């Protein structure tokens, strides 16, 4: 198999989402030709699937500087940097125009099915680093192979959501109950979707921004003229502590902090109940077709009509198995990055900026960036991905000084409760570093101020901390 010299080859970027398109812009800025391969029918395919959700970052935080540099000569108008776009706005006003400027450098409907070194599987050492990368793709016309001087995987994690099962595997019966389960924040402005949840009891499993958003949307539906009977049941695998609802007013991204406060208000106002310390082991059908969530020790919750599973995402590494990746055994993130983002080690959502050093692998010339670089860890920001690809593009161009510079200051989340807050075990098990997770129970957070203060004092005495 004869391949061109590496310097004559493009850098293949997998994924035409925000980070992938930014990577292409930074490569062009460095005089390097990119080729962006997108499995979906259009750029920003994943964002289009949550087009109804508003970002908690402003326009000024979700536009990459190198991308803006490409867009400006095309007559592009920059949106108000202080405004908050929805996913649809991000696509229509930024991602699609950027893809249009990139032109033939973006190929849609091209799914990457494998990446390797030309003529070398992952076993072979000889002459390995001198060989260009080989990228296999599938498209409507069949299969194709491409050569690349480097590979930047910005394919994200959207297509591989985590299941409801508390052990990382689908709960027993979860797949059979697929007709009543979604793994996305539903668009309640869509009449058909709205009808599915109106007047019904819906379980929301998860503890991050997506779960906050879903709870807030269900509460809005419950308060609407036609929303009588709509009720949320918030399923948390851990107990409620000071960090459960995020950083609130202490979050330097105000809209992100407001999400947690909206989720708390949904519970306080009686539009949702919170079930704490519950890990789903099975999902059973009730006689009327509704679903019963079954936890550890065969504990059962009252039936629900629908389940929204928002337990995070995980990377698809199947098409990278012939590459020598250095991934953390817990998070499936690059080993040097993992300690910075591992929720087992800290609960602070704030992550220091990082670049090519933290993103490098034993296989030189391959980088996982964007959401995929975080593996299974949460709290990723668009601006983090933009800084990643700026550094990676500089490294590919040979400018290691620029690659190693930090050109980003990330906003504080306002959440930092110390180590061990991630699915912490019950305090009775002797984990003094984490928050206690009580036995599964139905709790109402909307209580008088005096009782709330007493509960907070009790939580503090138990070792839970949050700011």
């Amino acid at each position: 198999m004869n391949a061109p010299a590496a310097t004559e080859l493009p850098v293949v970027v997998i994924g035409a989402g925000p980070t992938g398109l930014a990577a292409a812009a930074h490569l062009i800025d460095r005089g390097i030709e990119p080729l962006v391969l997108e499995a979906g029918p259009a750029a920003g395919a994943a964002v289009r699937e949550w087009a109804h959700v508003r970002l908690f970052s402003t326009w000024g935080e979700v536009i990459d500087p190198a991308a803006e540099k490409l867009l400006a000569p095309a007559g592009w108008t920059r949106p108000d940097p202080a405004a908050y776009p929805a996913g649809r706005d991000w696509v229509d006003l930024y991602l699609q125009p950027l893809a249009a400027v990139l032109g033939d450098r973006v190929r849609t409907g091209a799914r990457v099915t494998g990446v390797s070194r030309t003529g070398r599987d992952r076993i072979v050492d000889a002459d390995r680093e001198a060989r260009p990368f080989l990228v296999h793709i599938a498209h409507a016309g069949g299969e194709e192979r491409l050569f690349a001087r480097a590979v930047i995987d910005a394919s994200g994690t959207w297509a591989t959501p985590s299941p409801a099962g508390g052990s990382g595997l689908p709960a027993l019966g979860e797949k059979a109950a697929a007709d009543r389960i979604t793994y996305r924040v539903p668009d309640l402005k869509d009449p058909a979707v709205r009808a599915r949840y109106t007047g019904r009891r819906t379980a929301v499993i998860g503890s991050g921004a997506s779960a906050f958003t879903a709870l807030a949307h269900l509460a809005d539906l419950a308060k609407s003229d036609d929303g009588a009977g709509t009720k949320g049941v918030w399923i948390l695998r851990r107990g409620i502590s000071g960090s459960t609802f995020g950083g609130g007013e202490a979050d330097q991204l105000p809209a992100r902090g407001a999400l947690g406060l909206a989720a708390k208000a949904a519970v306080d106002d009686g539009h949702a109940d919170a079930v704490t310390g519950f890990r789903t082991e099975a999902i059973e059908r009730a006689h009327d077709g509704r679903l019963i969530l079954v936890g550890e020790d065969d504990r059962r919750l009252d039936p629900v009509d629908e389940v929204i599973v928002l337990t995070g995402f995980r990377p698809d590494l199947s098409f990278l198995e012939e590459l020598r990746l250095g991934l953390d055994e817990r998070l499936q993130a690059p080993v040097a990055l993992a300690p910075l983002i591992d929720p087992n080690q800290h609960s602070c959502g704030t992550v220091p900026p990082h670049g090519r050093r933290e993103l490098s692998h034993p296989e030189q010339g391959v980088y996982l960036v964007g959401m995929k670089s975080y593996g299974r860890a949460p709290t990723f920001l668009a601006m983090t991905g933009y800084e990643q690809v700026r550094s990676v593009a500089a490294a590919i161009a040979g400018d290691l000084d620029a690659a190693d510079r930090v050109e980003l200051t990330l906003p504080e989340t306002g959440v930092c409760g110390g180590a061990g807050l991630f699915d912490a075990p019950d305090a009775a098990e002797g984990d003094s570093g984490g928050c206690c997770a009580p036995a599964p129970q139905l709790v109402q957070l909307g209580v008088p101020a005096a009782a709330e203060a007493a509960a907070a004092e009790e939580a503090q005495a138990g070792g839970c901390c949050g700011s």
Side-chain angles (χ1 to χ4, degrees):
M1 181 187 301
N2 295 320
T7 54
E8 302 174 9
L9 296 172
V11 172
V12 163
V13 179
I14 306 174
T19 306
L21 294 177
H26 281 278
L27 289 167
I28 291 171
D29 196 46
R30 289 280 177 176
I32 300 171
E33 192 66 15
L35 176 59
V36 183
L37 302 175
E38 167 57 49
V47 179
R48 292 171 191 271
E49 293 192 26
W50 51 268
H52 59 288
V53 177
R54 189 164 299 281
L55 280 70
F56 51 67
S57 296
T58 64
W59 271 115
E61 295 157 339
V62 298
I63 294 174
D64 176 76
E68 185 172 2
K69 185 177 176 181
L70 276 182
L71 285 164
W76 177 72
T77 301
R78 191 176 196 266
D80 178 2
Y84 291 91
R88 182 176 295 104
D89 304 322
W90 206 13
V91 169
D92 293 345
L93 303 180
Y94 172 64
L95 297 178
Q96 192 56 52
L98 179 55
V101 169
L102 290 169
D104 292 342
R105 297 182 176 102
V106 178
R107 290 183 59 180
T108 58
R111 180 176 298 278
V112 174
T113 58
V115 183
S116 185
R117 290 281 188 176
T118 304
R120 298 289 185 268
D121 62 22
R122 67 183 297 161
I123 299 174
V124 181
D125 290 332
D127 195 33
R128 185 177 190 87
E129 293 181 6
R131 300 282 182 132
F133 288 96
L134 182 67
V135 181
H136 279 205
I137 63 173
H139 48 67
E143 295 180 299
E144 187 178 348
R145 67 185 182 197
L146 306 171
F147 299 104
R149 62 185 288 185
V151 175
I152 300 175
D153 184 358
S155 59
T157 56
W158 179 254
T160 46
S162 295
S167 301
L169 300 174
L172 297 178
E174 182 172 346
K175 293 180 180 178
D179 61 315
R180 289 178 179 257
I181 300 177
T182 183
Y183 299 84
R184 309 285 189 257
V185 176
D187 181 3
L188 298 184
K189 292 183 180 179
D190 181 317
V193 176
R194 186 180 181 88
R196 176 174 174 175
Y197 296 94
T198 299
R200 298 193 173 188
R201 181 177 168 89
T202 299
V204 177
I205 306 177
S207 59
S210 294
F212 295 163
T213 302
L215 287 165
H217 286 185
L218 287 172
D220 288 342
L221 175 57
K223 290 182 286 187
S224 66
D225 293 340
D226 61 343
T230 303
K231 186 79 170 184
V233 181
W234 187 15
I235 312 296
L236 296 107
R237 294 173 179 171
R238 51 187 170 184
I240 291 177
S241 72
S243 62
T244 298
F245 301 100
E249 294 179 358
D251 195 323
Q252 291 182 4
L253 290 179
R256 179 172 59 187
L259 285 176
L261 297 178
K264 186 176 187 303
V267 180
D268 287 344
D269 295 343
H271 300 304
D273 294 320
V275 177
T276 63
F278 189 90
R279 291 176 173 83
T280 306
E281 297 294 326
I283 299 177
E284 299 178 352
R285 290 274 186 180
H287 64 85
D288 59 0
R290 294 192 297 167
L291 303 181
I292 299 173
L293 303 185
V294 183
E296 297 170 330
D297 301 325
D298 201 35
R299 291 185 174 90
R300 285 169 159 74
L301 301 182
D302 291 338
V304 296
D305 299 285
E306 301 287 341
V307 178
I308 303 173
V309 180
L310 300 168
T311 53
F313 296 84
R314 52 187 60 180
D316 177 8
L317 301 168
S318 60
F319 59 87
L320 303 176
E321 61 184 8
E322 290 305 315
L323 298 177
R324 297 175 176 179
L325 302 181
L327 298 175
D328 177 75
E329 67 273 14
R330 296 178 183 86
L331 301 184
Q332 297 176 297
V335 290
L337 175 59
L340 306 179
I341 60 177
D342 188 349
N344 289 293
Q345 298 186 28
H346 65 84
S347 66
C348 302
T350 307
V351 176
H354 50 275
R356 64 102 182 180
R357 288 187 180 274
E358 293 83 0
L359 299 171
S360 295
H361 294 274
E363 191 81 68
Q364 294 186 23
V366 60
Y367 301 91
L368 275 59
V369 300
M371 284 287 294
K372 192 164 187 175
S373 71
Y374 270 39
R376 299 192 183 198
T379 71
F380 186 81
L381 294 173
M383 63 183 87
T384 298
Y386 297 160
E387 172 67 2
Q388 287 179 341
V389 296
R390 181 205 61 78
S391 174
V392 166
I396 293 173
D399 187 352
L400 299 186
D401 287 340
D404 291 337
R405 277 199 308 271
V406 174
E407 297 186 2
L408 174 67
T409 300
L410 288 171
E412 299 284 342
T413 64
V415 178
C416 192
L421 290 181
F422 187 71
D423 270 8
D426 193 282
E429 298 179 19
D431 181 8
S432 60
C435 276
C436 45
Q441 57 182 309
L442 190 66
V443 297
Q444 274 291 112
L445 297 190
V447 294
E452 187 174 357
E457 183 177 350
E458 180 180 353
Q460 186 174 6
C464 293
C465 51
S467 54

